[in-house]
Amino acid sequence: MIEKKQTSGDMATSKAEIPAVAGDKADSVPRNIRALIDALRQYPPFNQMDDRELITLLEKSTVEYFPANTIILSPEDGVPSRFYIVKKGHIAGERLMSRNGDVHPTFDIGPGACFPIAALLGERPTRTVHKALEDTFCISCDKEHFTHIVSTSRVFRDFCLRGISGLLEQVNRHVQAQAQFNLGDEYSLETPLQDYLHREVISCSPDTSVRQAVKIMDDRGIGSMVITDPMMTPLGIFTLRDLRHLVANPDARLDAPISEVMNRDPISLPSSATAFDAALVMAKHHFAHVLIADDARLKGVVSERDLFSLQRVNLVHVARTLANAPSVESLAEMQSDVALLIQTMIAHGASAEQINRIVSLLNDYTTRQVIRLAVKKIKHPDVEFAWLTFGSAGRREQTLLTDQDNGIIFKAADPEEAEQIRAGLLPLAQQINQDLDRCGFTLCQGNIMASNPKLCLSMDEWNLWFNQFIDAATPQNVLNSCIFFDLRTQWGPEHLAEDMFTNVRQRIKQNSIFQKMLAGAALESRPPLGLFKGFVTRKENGQEGVDLKTQGLTPFVDAARVLCLAHGLKPTNTLHRLRQLVRANVVEEKDADAWEEAYSFIQLLRLRHHLAQKSHGKALSNLVDPDDLNQLDERILKEAFRQAQRLQRKLAWNFQL
Amino acid sequence: MISYFQPLAFQFNTDRQSGNRMQNITSKWPPPEASTILNQIRWVVVDVETTGLNIRKDRVIAIGAVEIDQMKINLKQSFERVFDPGVDLEHENVLIHGLSPQELQQGTTPEQGLKDFLDFAAGSPLLAFHAPFDKHMLEKESKQWLGVSARLPCYDVADFCLALFPDLSKQLRGLDAWLEHFGLEASERHHATCDAMATAELALICLQKAYSEGIDTWGQLIDRISTATKLHRSRHTF
């Protein structure tokens, strides 16, 4: 042994020398620490951490004892200052429900379990009271040391960020903690519908009379009645709204069987679906009630009020109001509700992807209603046409900062007819562009708008446009035109664009030169990482920072687009594209997961950034100063950029660039 | 065998002729003041392994110690030394202390090991299970190797148990019984550092129990202990 010849004086050397004796290190660890390491090794993530990492963890740790019933952590303590690993004993999590003051047990953890990871990472108080169920020993360290381990041990970091509940959710909680200030409602959008099944299931048979059914509803104080067969398979639903219509009808017979007036084939979700799923269904179909059924057996009903009991504005309500708005003015006024809603959604645990979907959904409602109103008001040729949207709207990746990228596609028999129809549609397009601008979708500076005659085209003209572009592309115009390949029909018949673009997709799939050019363009926006450790910042409008959109998101968006187009794959949403690429065996699942995570993180950071800017009354921008980020966000952002670099390397390799 | 966790005491211990300083440390090693708040005491929980149970003849071959500071076991302050006794030992004891002749040969000299320990403990009150034995062995070896007549303030965790868990102590005898009762396990029984660790955990349970019974200061705890031990002795005498 090397150590033997050393004197104790020599032992007081700096840690820097330790790697030199790494081989002997395991032996030179005191036996009690060795024993703790062995004990920890029985549990993830410690079973994947090497000796050095575990020694580092334990080196600045302590062992603490908590007699049964000691409260170890509680929300009132503020941001927790220590990290704990259960060594022996059990710890229960208890959450006080604000609605009725009940204490809900949330978890029961034993040896090997770690807490409170989310609160430490989110730098917010824990939501749960952590109480020793029995006499318990914990290994603990302070927050700084925990952060140090998170940053130095990849395994531990992955465990903390992903292993438990996903990186996004962790960071999300941070966002929520900021947004949840006044909300106090314990339910989040991730709450499974299961949790809403606290009432007795009330249903009736199809031959029950309307009067009887309404009497039951009245007696039980419920707003809806589900009609089922004897096997409890839902056949229909009857709500108070239906009753209103019924009573307004002078011919209505209250003694008729309810099956005559019920809504048939009601939409149902499994009890494992989330509150978010239910809200989306309600928003999409303008229902106030969604059935919960497992294996076609009715389990209960969840209502809009159940989901949003405490909120002034909610998704279903906003979606309905947008879809029925009587004027552009009222649509414009509604947009502040949309912003408030997004904030609320974040507070209730929505992820970046969910927010993207909600914003896209609501923007679609606004756009469609704008178009519907304009179509009524403005004279236009009676032809089949559809409203297209490009770029982030086309990918359903919108956030609060949105400008217009749109076009029109219509059917025409020949070029002359196309010219005529165009002339007739352009005033309408002009009006729609203006109205959208009034609703907060700013006019596109590059004039990528339907009112631009070059973007109001017949199917043939679009086809020709794309084909010429593909054949005669230069690196520069490819760079500027990528967003056209992310197109989606926002209003009108979808088959027009679908038929047209199928040809285009086929053509790109066969044109390797164009693919190579697209790939080259995708490599233009480089993630802002320096050769060494730091970020490479840029200056925009006198501010310095990294651009989360062009430097962070664009590399992922562009790469996913090229890879999908090259393989003839249809999706336009970046996350859908990545998933589709896995299915098509173009990328490996674990790579796709990492990219998805990195992309989602940047998107969420951007969203958070926008919300903060909005609440300070600042103009929205994508520029973030890394110095303003907390340590953890900064590190994850670096890692996310590194993933972008990896994706770009793959792209370069695939297309031999 | 040398600790990777370099005890802070190491930092000061660079001069090798610190016999005088040793004298100072041991002579200025008073027990805690009666008014000291219990949870502010730095305890050093120690366990010594010896060549046998004969306190006159046998020798210390390993010292393990851990620190309790502010009611937490501080892992960085884990102390572990194996001594090379320099003479052949009777082999049967290997079965108890688990140290092979090779391990012993790789150990430090008793002189250096003891000096390191006294520096590590640095005036803090010591705790051990069946402390009189450990205390005696440490004092005897200090005298022999360092020439210092130490009077170590070493307290018995067994007494803590007796005072704070009087009912249990009617049935539980010895460290193993107490550990088993509380579901603690010494990872390697009769390895000095592991025993010290287990003893420290037991001590934490006792200190928390004291705290929950309103015992805040060392003086109060000492009172409780002396009452309990007197009672215990009287019961066992008559």
Side-chain angles (χ1 to χ4, degrees):
Chain A
M1 264 206 191
I2 301 167
E3 287 93 333
K4 192 183 174 211
K5 296 180 191 77
Q6 290 179 325
T7 64
S8 68
D10 293 329
M11 285 308 295
T13 46
S14 73
K15 292 237 172 78
E17 287 184 19
I18 283 159
V21 293
D24 289 312
K25 199 179 60 172
D27 295 331
S28 60
V29 173
R31 206 67 78 93
N32 60 329
I33 308 294
R34 185 81 253 164
L36 281 177
I37 290 175
D38 292 343
L40 283 179
R41 279 269 162 76
Q42 297 172 44
Y43 311 101
F46 311 109
N47 55 352
Q48 289 174 45
M49 290 167 70
D50 62 29
D51 273 6
R52 180 182 305 273
E53 290 174 328
L54 288 175
I55 289 168
T56 310
L57 169 65
L58 291 175
E59 183 184 37
K60 286 194 182 157
S61 292
T62 58
V63 172
E64 289 184 69
Y65 169 66
F66 304 101
N69 296 318
T70 311
I71 289 177
I72 301 170
L73 273 175
S74 109
E76 292 90 68
D77 299 343
V79 179
S81 58
R82 295 188 77 75
F83 167 71
Y84 299 89
I85 306 164
V86 182
K87 177 172 179 277
K88 176 202 165 285
H90 272 269
I91 293 185
E94 291 173 350
R95 195 174 279 195
L96 191 70
M97 306 307 273
S98 59
R99 43 177 64 185
N100 51 15
D102 282 357
V103 171
H104 266 237
T106 53
F107 57 74
D108 171 358
I109 51 177
C114 304
F115 64 95
I117 293 177
L120 282 167
L121 292 180
E123 290 175 31
R124 55 139 176 97
T126 165
R127 301 239 170 79
T128 319
V129 172
H130 291 64
K131 191 167 133 188
L133 265 184
E134 53 188 66
D135 292 351
T136 297
F137 280 88
C138 289
I139 297 170
S140 68
C141 69
D142 64 18
K143 191 175 138 205
E144 286 65 38
H145 191 56
F146 169 76
T147 310
H148 174 71
I149 303 298
V150 167
S151 67
T152 52
S153 164
R154 193 183 182 84
V155 172
F156 189 68
R157 176 169 62 235
D158 285 355
F159 172 78
C160 289
L161 299 182
R162 184 163 29 208
I164 285 195
S165 44
L167 174 145
L168 259 183
E169 204 181 322
Q170 304 297 347
V171 183
N172 235 326
R173 288 193 184 142
H174 189 99
V175 185
Q176 288 166 41
Q178 292 170 337
Q180 196 155 33
F181 202 54
N182 286 321
L183 282 159
D185 189 3
E186 294 293 339
Y187 280 105
S188 86
L189 286 174
E190 293 299 330
T191 308
L193 294 180
Q194 182 100 44
D195 290 9
Y196 291 89
L197 295 174
H198 33 67
R199 282 189 303 251
E200 188 191 343
V201 184
I202 296 163
S203 65
C204 67
S205 64
D207 52 7
T208 313
S209 72
V210 173
R211 193 184 300 279
Q212 246 177 310
V214 172
K215 183 171 183 328
I216 301 172
M217 289 166 71
D218 191 42
D219 288 348
R220 300 300 190 103
I222 52 176
S224 66
M225 173 63 84
V226 186
I227 296 90
T228 61
D229 70 6
M231 298 298 295
M232 290 299 276
T233 304
L235 302 172
I237 185 167
F238 182 82
T239 67
L240 288 180
R241 198 155 51 146
D242 300 321
L243 179 65
R244 226 163 47 212
H245 287 298
L246 197 68
V247 173
N249 177 357
D251 299 332
R253 292 184 307 120
L254 293 182
D255 294 318
I258 192 133
S259 55
E260 282 182 16
V261 293
M262 69 184 185
N263 301 289
R264 282 166 197 287
D265 301 322
I267 293 193
S268 65
L269 289 169
S271 59
S272 56
T274 62
F276 178 75
D277 298 325
L280 269 193
V281 167
M282 289 182 197
K284 239 180 207 155
H285 302 280
H286 306 309
F287 297 152
H289 298 85
V290 171
L291 304 191
I292 307 173
D294 289 332
D295 302 323
R297 285 169 69 96
L298 180 68
K299 284 288 163 70
V301 178
V302 61
S303 74
E304 183 187 334
R305 267 184 50 198
D306 293 336
L307 294 183
F308 304 106
S309 53
L310 297 174
Q311 290 167 241
R312 266 192 308 117
V313 289
N314 72 58
L315 178 58
V316 184
H317 173 77
V318 170
R320 193 157 45 222
T321 318
L322 286 176
N324 297 310
S327 65
V328 175
E329 285 70 30
S330 58
L331 276 172
E333 278 168 22
M334 286 287 300
Q335 297 308 310
S336 60
D337 277 359
V338 173
L340 185 60
L341 174 69
I342 299 307
Q343 206 158 346
T344 317
M345 286 287 177
I346 291 177
H348 280 244
S351 65
E353 191 192 357
Q354 289 173 335
I355 294 296
N356 283 159
R357 278 166 67 189
I358 294 169
V359 173
S360 298
L361 182 83
L362 296 178
N363 285 354
D364 281 2
Y365 275 124
T366 303
T367 307
R368 284 180 202 146
Q369 190 60 9
V370 161
I371 297 174
R372 261 184 236 122
L373 292 169
V375 165
K376 272 190 218 159
K377 203 166 60 180
I378 309 281
K379 242 173 69 91
H380 61 277
D382 181 22
V383 291
E384 207 176 13
F385 73 96
W387 187 264
L388 303 179
T389 182
F390 308 107
S392 66
R395 296 190 305 269
R396 296 186 202 270
E397 287 166 10
Q398 283 154 297
T399 59
L400 300 173
L401 180 60
T402 306
D403 61 357
Q404 296 187 42
D405 291 310
N406 46 44
I408 285 179
I409 186 168
F410 56 85
K411 226 173 184 165
D414 51 56
E416 286 77 38
E417 196 190 37
E419 208 56 59
Q420 266 178 11
I421 294 173
R422 183 171 17 261
L425 284 176
L426 283 174
L428 177 67
Q430 185 85 40
Q431 183 67 48
I432 295 170
N433 287 145
Q434 293 303 332
D435 289 349
L436 284 174
D437 184 44
R438 283 161 68 193
C439 291
F441 304 93
T442 48
L443 295 170
C444 175
Q445 292 178 342
N447 201 17
I448 301 179
M449 288 190 291
S451 56
N452 178 348
K454 288 178 189 161
L455 296 173
C456 179
L457 304 175
S458 72
M459 288 171 72
D460 290 340
E461 287 169 334
W462 273 114
N463 202 6
L464 194 69
W465 184 89
F466 271 114
N467 286 344
Q468 281 175 348
F469 179 74
I470 292 165
D471 292 338
T474 64
Q476 194 51 46
N477 64 21
V478 163
L479 198 58
N480 295 334
S481 310
C482 283
I483 65 158
F484 289 107
F485 295 96
D486 304 334
L487 93 170
R488 177 167 73 87
T489 304
Q490 211 172 10
W491 178 89
E494 292 183 9
H495 67 91
L496 301 176
E498 186 46 46
D499 290 353
M500 178 276 292
F501 204 69
T502 304
N503 289 329
V504 176
R505 210 179 284 124
Q506 199 56 32
R507 218 179 163 91
I508 299 173
K509 197 181 168 188
Q510 289 156 0
N511 188 333
S512 58
I513 296 173
F514 181 69
Q515 288 170 19
K516 199 165 176 166
M517 209 165 324
L518 273 180
L523 296 179
E524 283 290 313
S525 26
R526 294 284 180 174
L529 286 178
L531 261 183
F532 300 102
K533 276 179 178 172
F535 292 106
V536 179
T537 56
R538 58 162 67 160
K539 262 198 170 145
E540 277 173 27
N541 305 325
Q543 275 189 307
E544 198 162 333
V546 294
D547 191 311
L548 292 179
K549 187 181 176 191
T550 61
Q551 297 178 285
L553 296 173
T554 306
F556 291 100
V557 171
D558 285 354
R561 179 194 300 118
V562 185
L563 289 170
C564 270
L565 286 174
H567 292 85
L569 303 173
K570 256 174 146 178
T572 54
N573 179 274
T574 302
L575 296 179
H576 292 179
R577 276 174 169 162
L578 287 172
R579 276 164 222 161
Q580 195 74 42
L581 287 166
V582 173
R583 255 171 253 140
N585 288 322
V586 180
V587 303
E588 291 205 24
E589 185 159 10
K590 64 175 180 0
D591 287 338
D593 285 350
W595 294 329
E596 192 176 320
E597 203 174 16
Y599 172 82
S600 302
F601 173 77
I602 302 173
Q603 188 71 273
L604 191 74
L605 200 62
R606 176 179 174 225
L607 205 64
R608 208 162 87 190
H609 186 56
H610 285 173
L611 273 179
Q613 288 169 329
K614 218 178 167 80
S615 69
H616 290 105
K618 287 189 204 156
L620 300 191
S621 102
N622 292 311
L623 207 68
V624 159
D625 185 347
D627 291 344
D628 292 344
L629 296 175
N630 71 37
Q631 265 194 332
L632 191 74
D633 281 346
E634 185 191 324
R635 264 193 300 258
I636 302 176
L637 184 61
K638 260 181 214 164
E639 182 55 32
F641 286 152
R642 232 167 263 136
Q643 289 297 338
Q645 284 179 330
R646 278 190 54 225
L647 178 55
Q648 290 195 335
R649 274 200 297 275
K650 171 166 176 72
L651 205 63
W653 195 81
N654 272 20
F655 293 94
Q656 293 154 33
L657 289 166
Chain B
M1 196 84 24
I2 278 158
S3 168
Y4 167 73
F5 294 80
Q6 307 202 349
L8 286 180
F10 268 169
Q11 314 295 322
F12 318 124
N13 188 23
T14 44
D15 63 321
R16 310 217 32 212
Q17 288 116 12
S18 54
N20 286 337
R21 205 157 62 91
M22 212 44 70
Q23 191 81 51
N24 288 340
I25 285 172
T26 49
S27 59
K28 288 185 192 163
W29 198 325
E33 297 281 337
S35 61
T36 317
I37 305 296
L38 268 185
N39 64 13
Q40 290 179 356
I41 299 177
R42 177 200 187 241
W43 302 95
V44 167
V45 187
V46 63
D47 183 74
V48 300
E49 295 296 324
T50 54
T51 52
L53 291 173
N54 186 327
I55 55 172
R56 271 205 245 145
K57 211 175 73 188
D58 281 314
R59 306 260 309 270
V60 171
I61 49 171
I63 300 178
V66 297
E67 175 190 288
I68 295 179
D69 193 17
Q70 301 187 18
M71 301 289 261
K72 298 185 185 81
I73 299 169
N74 189 0
L75 295 176
K76 190 179 177 105
Q77 297 290 313
S78 298
F79 180 88
E80 178 170 280
R81 290 291 184 282
V82 171
F83 295 0
D84 176 6
V87 291
D88 277 342
L89 294 168
E90 295 148 25
H91 279 225
E92 61 266 35
N93 269 318
V94 170
L95 294 175
I96 294 186
H97 53 64
L99 294 166
S100 66
Q102 287 83 356
E103 279 178 286
L104 292 171
Q105 274 170 31
Q106 286 164 350
T108 60
T109 60
E111 185 184 7
Q112 186 61 45
L114 281 162
K115 202 162 77 68
D116 289 347
F117 173 71
L118 294 177
D119 266 358
F120 170 78
S124 297
L126 307 180
L127 286 178
F129 200 90
H130 290 156
F133 177 76
D134 301 82
K135 175 177 154 75
H136 176 87
M137 292 307 282
L138 286 169
E139 288 175 352
K140 185 186 87 163
E141 298 280 87
S142 301
K143 175 116 187 140
Q144 176 173 350
W145 296 101
L146 304 175
V148 291
S149 304
R151 286 286 167 266
L152 301 175
C154 189
Y155 302 94
D156 196 343
V157 179
D159 287 347
F160 282 28
C161 291
L162 177 72
L164 294 158
F165 299 96
D167 290 339
L168 286 174
S169 61
K170 286 172 192 157
Q171 304 136 36
L172 302 175
R173 296 270 182 280
L175 182 59
D176 285 318
W178 284 98
L179 293 184
E180 195 192 329
H181 174 81
F182 286 111
L184 307 171
E185 37 189 293
S187 40
E188 268 178 89
R189 197 63 179 86
H190 300 297
H191 187 288
T193 322
C194 296
D195 279 358
M197 185 80 178
T199 307
E201 291 180 345
L202 186 58
L204 275 184
I205 291 178
C206 292
L207 290 169
Q208 280 289 357
K209 183 80 181 350
Y211 179 76
S212 74
E213 291 185 6
I215 298 174
D216 293 329
T217 63
W218 173 237
Q220 288 168 312
L221 183 57
I222 278 290
D223 287 349
R224 170 70 81 91
I225 289 171
S226 58
T227 314
T229 45
K230 266 175 215 154
L231 190 67
H232 183 75
R233 246 177 264 132
S234 66
R235 273 198 193 132
H236 282 255
T237 322
F238 304 104

